Amino acid sequence: MNCSTCGSQLDHPGQGHTCLGDATPPPRPPAYWHAAQWALVTLAVFFAGLSLVRAAITADLLTPPSGKVISALSIAGPLALFAAFLTWSNVTKRVIDAQSIAAASIRHWAVGAGALLFLLSYLLPVKTPTAFHVVRAAAAILLGVGALITHGRAARRLADPATPADQNDATGTGIAPLRMEEARPGQVANQPARLALDIETQPEDWNASLWDPEVQRDIERRRRQQAPPA
């Protein structure tokens, strides 16, 4: 027989095993999210190749087969890449927000660097068309690589979410409470949050003779001094 919750094979009903009691499978990334990512990467690679071809043409290293085709692709390429980037960004944000994943934990610097290079390429002088296209090719490559890395990080977070705090952790910090008998000198004062909070006082705790004979002798001495003479 198998466990009805996790599917583990059991020898008899009620057998103990590593079932966590959670039948909810991890969330699957939506298919349109993958489609938006691959569309962005494909257009980034295409635009990088187109920019390198235009750089070779402006440097007189390559003769274009048809100037109109290259010109049309040069206009449609940036627009398509920009639309794909916006679509992928919005879809990624919606997916990670639905799973309460911090955007800073999956963001990669290459995405921002690629977008910045695109903007900076338009500031290049008109007399440097070759550099203009080379910079745009580098920006497209960075954008595609950054999107792949960001997408991979988000997918890993969805497949393996953060584990809850240990049940033995009373403070919620991921550190098990430190028992009094395990504490080293000076450690209790420095780490009060790790001490167990479920200590209960017992009647014998108030009996001085059980925990400090010196205090008990001092009490008896004071009692004899205060007692009136017979």
Side-chain angles (χ1 to χ4, degrees), residues 16-59:
H17 58 291
T18 58
C19 176
L20 299 178
D22 186 6
T24 304
R28 290 181 174 272
Y32 60 84
W33 184 42
H34 291 292
Q37 184 245 346
W38 285 114
L40 173 60
V41 173
T42 302
L43 287 173
V45 172
F46 168 78
F47 185 76
L50 176 64
S51 297
L52 291 177
V53 170
R54 293 201 63 185
I57 292 174
T58 55

Side-chain angles (χ1 to χ4, degrees), residues 92-225:
T92 301
K93 186 178 185 303
R94 187 160 59 246
V95 170
I96 65 176
D97 287 347
Q99 301 300 326
S100 300
I101 299 176
S105 63
I106 64 171
R107 188 182 296 117
H108 193 263
W109 61 267
V111 176
L116 182 61
L117 278 181
F118 266 119
L119 296 177
L120 293 179
S121 65
Y122 289 98
L123 301 179
L124 292 173
V126 181
K127 297 181 180 180
T128 59
T130 303
F132 171 78
H133 296 299
V134 170
V135 170
R136 300 217 314 175
I141 293 174
L142 283 175
L143 192 62
V145 171
L148 282 174
I149 296 175
T150 300
H151 189 93
R153 288 177 177 178
R156 285 192 298 271
R157 291 292 301 274
L158 290 175
D160 187 18
T163 56
D166 189 3
Q167 294 179 355
N168 296 325
D169 176 17
T171 62
T173 59
I175 304 176
L178 183 66
R179 297 180 180 178
M180 295 292 294
E181 60 271 16
E182 296 176 350
R184 296 188 296 272
Q187 190 174 6
V188 175
N190 295 332
Q191 299 180 2
R194 296 182 59 185
L195 299 178
L197 302 179
D198 56 350
I199 299 176
E200 297 181 0
T201 59
Q202 302 297 330
E204 56 269 18
D205 293 340
W206 303 103
N207 191 343
S209 61
L210 297 180
W211 49 269
D212 197 335
E214 293 292 337
V215 174
Q216 178 64 22
R217 285 194 291 268
D218 185 67
I219 293 174
E220 295 294 339
R221 180 177 58 81
R222 292 175 181 272
R223 184 179 300 168
R224 287 193 300 268
Q225 292 177 353

Side-chain angles (χ1 to χ4, degrees), residues 65-77:
S66 175
K68 293 183 179 180
V69 174
I70 297 297
S71 299
L73 291 177
S74 299
I75 296 175

